[in-house]
């Protein structure tokens, strides 16, 4: 089995970004700036933000943190509008989920689409659905990048995506089915109302699990020689586990991502890619 090492691949991507950032900084006199907005005290969100800040440091990107113990809808909307106007800010990321009482969609809708490095703004979602250039959500884009770097091309193959979230499942299904590198797959998007999920998965050459349930995908659901990408990360008494039964599948599949160390690092690496692209867009490269 080929272990799809997202941690090592992300490290390579960060090195490539650092080299380009250094060149662009010498040319334009500043580095890319990423504003990260964190509201509340959610421990998982704090860990994610720290990881993103470390990635920024590795890549030579200026991290602009906005940590708010609490905020009203009006205050948070005002901050987003301020960041939209700030010419030193190239990318804006609002760490989700927001605390109860705040309207996440209204906040995301306020972000300048050209600074929407998470790829969640309706303008960028629309561009994705039309196959137009724009920012792609970091997790599905990171998955595609990981496949590409391991020369695992889903073109002309059958792919099943389990999970229809707006953050992972839907955009990943669109990206896999569109024309272009590491795409052109025949995609089935499965979810909780799929009649026979096992039968759908057994026909797939590529299985993408983004369902949010520990070890949901078992060996009897995947055919011999398939490629399995585990997007899930679940906190259990045994530690972090994915949506895939890794031990049960490792001797059956052709390639698979581990949890942790698979898709997670690629998500953050893709955020750095998107921030660099936003910077280049703003300076006219």
């Amino acid at each position: 089995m080929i272990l799809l090492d997202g941690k090592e691949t992300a490290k390579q991507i960060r090195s490539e970004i650092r080299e380009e950032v250094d060149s662009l900084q010498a040319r334009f006199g500043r580095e890319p700036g990423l504003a990260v907005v964190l509201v509340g005290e959610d421990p998982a969100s704090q860990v994610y933000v720290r990881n993103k800040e470390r990635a920024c440091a590795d890549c030579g990107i200026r991290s602009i943190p906005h940590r708010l113990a609490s905020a009203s809808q009006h205050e948070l909307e005002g901050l987003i509008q301020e960041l939209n106007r700030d010419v030193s800010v190239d990318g804006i990321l609002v760490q989700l989920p927001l605390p109860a009482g705040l309207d996440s969609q209204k906040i995301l809708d306020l972000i300048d689409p050209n600074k929407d490095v998470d790829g969640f703004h309706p303008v960028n979602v629309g561009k994705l659905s039309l196959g137009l250039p724009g920012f792609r959500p970091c997790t599905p884009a990171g998955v595609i990048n990981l496949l590409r770097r391991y020369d695992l091309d889903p073109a002309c193959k059958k792919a099943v995506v389990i999970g229809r979230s707006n953050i992972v499942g839907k955009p990943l299904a669109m990206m896999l089915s569109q024309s272009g590198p590491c795409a052109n797959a025949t995609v089935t998007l499965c979810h909780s109302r799929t009649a026979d999920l096992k039968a759908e998965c057994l026909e797939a050459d590529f299985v993408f699990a983004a369902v949010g349930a520990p070890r949901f995908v078992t060996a009897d659901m995947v055919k011999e020689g398939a490629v399995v990408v585990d997007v899930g990360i679940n906190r259990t008494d045994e530690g972090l586990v994915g949506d895939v039964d890794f031990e049960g599948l490792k001797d059956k599949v052709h390639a698979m991502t581990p949890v942790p160390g698979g898709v997670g690092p690629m998500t953050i690496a893709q955020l750095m890619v998107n921030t660099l692209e936003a910077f280049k867009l703003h300076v006219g490269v």
Side-chain angles (χ1 to χ4, degrees):
M1 181 196 75
I2 301 170
L3 185 69
L4 304 178
D5 189 340
K7 187 175 181 179
E8 185 58 34
T9 306
K11 183 179 177 181
Q12 295 169 3
I13 293 170
R14 291 197 304 269
S15 177
E16 294 165 7
I17 292 172
R18 181 61 187 248
E19 185 175 341
E20 187 169 1
V21 165
D22 287 346
S23 174
L24 289 169
Q25 184 176 12
R27 181 177 170 188
F28 293 100
R30 74 172 181 92
E31 69 273 69
L34 173 63
V36 180
V37 179
L38 173 63
V39 184
E41 305 294 337
D42 180 70
S45 292
Q46 291 178 353
V47 170
Y48 294 146
V49 166
R50 284 197 297 271
N51 289 340
K52 290 165 184 174
E53 289 174 343
R54 280 196 290 266
C56 283
D58 286 346
C59 295
I61 292 171
R62 184 168 67 100
S63 177
I64 309 165
H66 290 270
R67 286 182 167 85
L68 310 175
S70 63
S72 68
Q73 184 77 21
H74 178 72
E75 289 169 338
L76 191 52
E77 289 177 3
L79 174 59
I80 297 302
Q81 290 167 339
E82 179 184 327
L83 295 173
N84 283 339
R85 294 189 294 267
D86 190 336
V87 294
S88 71
V89 172
D90 300 291
I92 301 170
L93 180 148
V94 176
Q95 183 64 46
L96 300 177
L98 290 174
L102 295 176
D103 189 327
S104 300
Q105 193 57 55
K106 282 187 177 180
I107 296 300
L108 296 176
D109 290 353
L110 269 181
I111 296 173
D112 180 345
N114 289 330
K115 296 188 178 187
D116 170 39
V117 289
D118 255 340
F120 294 160
H121 192 282
V123 167
N124 285 318
V125 174
K127 287 181 176 181
L128 169 58
S129 70
L130 294 171
L132 298 175
F135 294 114
R136 305 310 194 217
C138 296
T139 296
V143 166
I144 297 295
N145 200 351
L146 184 62
L147 294 178
R148 182 176 62 82
R149 286 173 179 257
Y150 275 88
D151 294 321
L152 295 169
D153 193 346
C156 306
K157 303 289 181 64
K158 291 185 177 181
V160 161
V161 177
I162 311 172
R164 54 180 169 180
S165 73
N166 293 329
I167 294 174
V168 180
K170 287 179 185 176
L172 179 57
M174 284 193 284
M175 293 172 72
L176 288 165
S177 62
Q178 290 176 348
S179 60
C182 214
N184 293 297
T186 299
V187 182
T188 301
L189 181 60
C190 295
H191 45 76
S192 59
R193 301 298 294 273
T194 298
D196 193 343
L197 178 60
K198 179 178 177 180
E200 298 287 353
C201 290
L202 283 170
E203 291 186 359
D205 305 294
F206 287 74
V207 175
F208 302 86
V211 68
R215 302 188 182 95
F216 180 83
V217 177
T218 51
D220 62 330
M221 296 173 64
V222 178
K223 74 178 184 180
E224 195 86 27
V227 174
V228 177
V229 176
D230 190 348
V231 182
I233 185 161
N234 307 282
R235 287 172 173 79
T236 70
D237 292 340
E238 307 164 44
L240 297 178
V241 300
D243 290 353
V244 172
D245 180 8
F246 185 90
E247 291 300 319
L249 269 73
K250 67 180 182 180
D251 295 325
K252 186 177 185 180
V253 300
H254 174 62
M256 185 163 52
T257 56
V259 174
V263 173
M266 292 300 298
T267 297
I268 296 178
Q270 188 63 40
L271 173 64
M272 300 298 105
V273 171
N274 286 357
T275 301
L276 175 57
E277 289 305 310
F279 172 76
K280 290 161 71 174
L281 178 67
H282 295 158
V283 298
V285 174

